[in-house]
């Protein structure tokens, strides 16, 4: 169907309701939040493993990861330190595509994401399936900068951004939930920005 132009009034963007409670718009700046030293391992040496409660544990090389059909997220991100950033474009592979190869067992209910640095973060399996999570290597059409988790980071934009592990190297599927780095240090287990789940007990 042809697109009708001209006489349709363009609706303004619905800005109201876009910021989760307690968040502000960081505008064009993109803060860097890193608890550890930035790893220097070259991209070509990068590997990504999906293991734990799966029928086919799998490790992909850098070139194998990038050979997956591409998948892009366009939207907002929300950091627990109260900044949100609108209209980001991240590209990589959908976690669904990785899990289709690895094939989680019936017992798998949680994921612990690991960075090469030792940083970890835990997620319910349901929060990384159904088109809600990616492993990305591009932002705004360019390689993901090192300080922002390049060459490879997890992206789970519907949860606070600490769940999006930078320099991701492993997704381990588990039957039980196991607290990651910030979760052990008082952050909320799930981290839904719309429910303002910042800290344990929120
Ligand atoms: N490996 C690793 N991943 C991490 C972090 C970190 O310290 N180490 N910080 C988390 C937090 S608290 C946030 S808000 C985002 C920050 O990503 P950015 O630095 O690209 O903005 O990464 C998340 N992933
Ligand atoms: Mo954060």
């Amino acid at each position: 169907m042809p697109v009708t132009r001209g006489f349709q009034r363009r609706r303004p963007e619905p800005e109201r309701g876009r910021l989760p409670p307690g968040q502000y718009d960081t505008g064009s700046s993109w803060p860097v939040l890193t608890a550890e030293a930035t790893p220097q391992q070259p991209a070509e040496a990068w590997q990504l493993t999906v293991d734990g409660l799966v029928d086919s544990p799998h490790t992909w090389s850098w070139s194998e990861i990038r050979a997956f059909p591409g998948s892009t997220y366009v939207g907002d991100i929300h950091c627990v330190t109260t900044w949100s950033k609108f209209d980001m474009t991240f590209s990589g592979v959908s976690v669904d595509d990785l899990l289709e190869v690895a094939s989680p067992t019936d017992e798998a209910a949680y994921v612990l994401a690991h960075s090469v640095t030792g940083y970890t973060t835990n997620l319910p399996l349901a929060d990384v399936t159904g088109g809600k999570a990616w492993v990305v290597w591009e932002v705004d059409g360019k390689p993901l900068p090192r300080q922002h988790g390049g060459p490879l980071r997890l992206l789970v934009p519907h949860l606070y951004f600490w769940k999006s592990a930078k320099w991701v190297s492993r997704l381990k599927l588990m039957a039980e939930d196991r607290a990651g780095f910030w979760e052990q240090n008082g952050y909320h287990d799930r981290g839904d920005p719309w429910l303002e789940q910042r800290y344990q007990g929120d």
Side-chain angles (χ1 to χ4, degrees):
M1 207 178 94
V3 177
T4 309
R5 285 162 182 262
F7 293 99
Q8 271 175 332
R9 192 173 300 169
R10 219 176 141 240
R11 261 201 224 141
E13 281 281 290
E15 289 301 329
R16 195 197 308 249
R18 187 167 184 182
L19 270 179
Q23 297 292 110
Y24 73 93
D25 175 8
T26 186
S28 60
S29 85
W30 184 6
V32 171
L33 282 100
T34 302
E36 73 274 41
T38 297
Q40 297 305 325
Q41 187 179 320
E44 306 74 55
W46 214 267
Q47 294 190 322
L48 178 69
T49 295
V50 176
D51 65 357
L53 293 178
V54 295
D55 289 334
S56 310
H58 212 92
T59 297
W60 290 274
S61 68
W62 174 240
S63 56
E64 287 168 343
I65 295 162
R66 286 158 63 243
F68 273 97
S71 181
T72 295
Y73 167 76
V74 180
D76 307 339
I77 57 176
H78 311 287
C79 173
V80 71
T81 62
T82 74
W83 58 265
S84 291
K85 191 164 168 54
F86 294 157
D87 301 319
M88 305 289 290
T89 301
F90 288 98
S91 295
V93 55
S94 166
V95 171
D96 292 308
D97 288 349
L98 301 173
L99 293 180
E100 198 180 311
V101 177
S103 186
T105 68
D106 291 345
E107 291 75 43
Y110 296 92
V111 177
L112 193 65
H114 294 253
S115 301
V116 287
T117 57
Y119 180 94
T120 53
T121 187
N122 54 306
L123 300 128
L125 184 55
D127 274 317
V128 299
T129 51
K132 293 193 290 295
W134 292 261
V135 169
V136 297
W137 53 85
E138 270 184 23
V139 62
D140 297 331
K142 298 192 197 74
L144 189 63
R146 269 287 156 166
Q147 71 270 25
H148 289 300
L152 212 58
R153 84 178 292 164
L154 186 62
L155 177 71
V156 191
H158 72 289
L159 299 178
Y160 282 125
F161 210 35
W162 88 78
K163 297 287 183 181
S164 296
K166 303 199 275 191
W167 314 298
V168 69
S169 58
R170 182 183 182 198
L171 302 176
K172 185 186 181 189
L173 280 79
M174 308 174 302
E176 312 283 336
D177 198 11
R178 202 174 108 198
F181 174 77
W182 282 119
E183 294 83 2
Q184 286 172 39
N185 285 283
Y187 281 30
H188 195 276
D189 203 49
R190 178 146 184 272
D192 183 336
W194 297 97
L195 301 175
E196 218 173 347
Q197 295 171 334
R198 297 178 193 274
Y199 307 108
Q200 279 173 34
D202 283 351

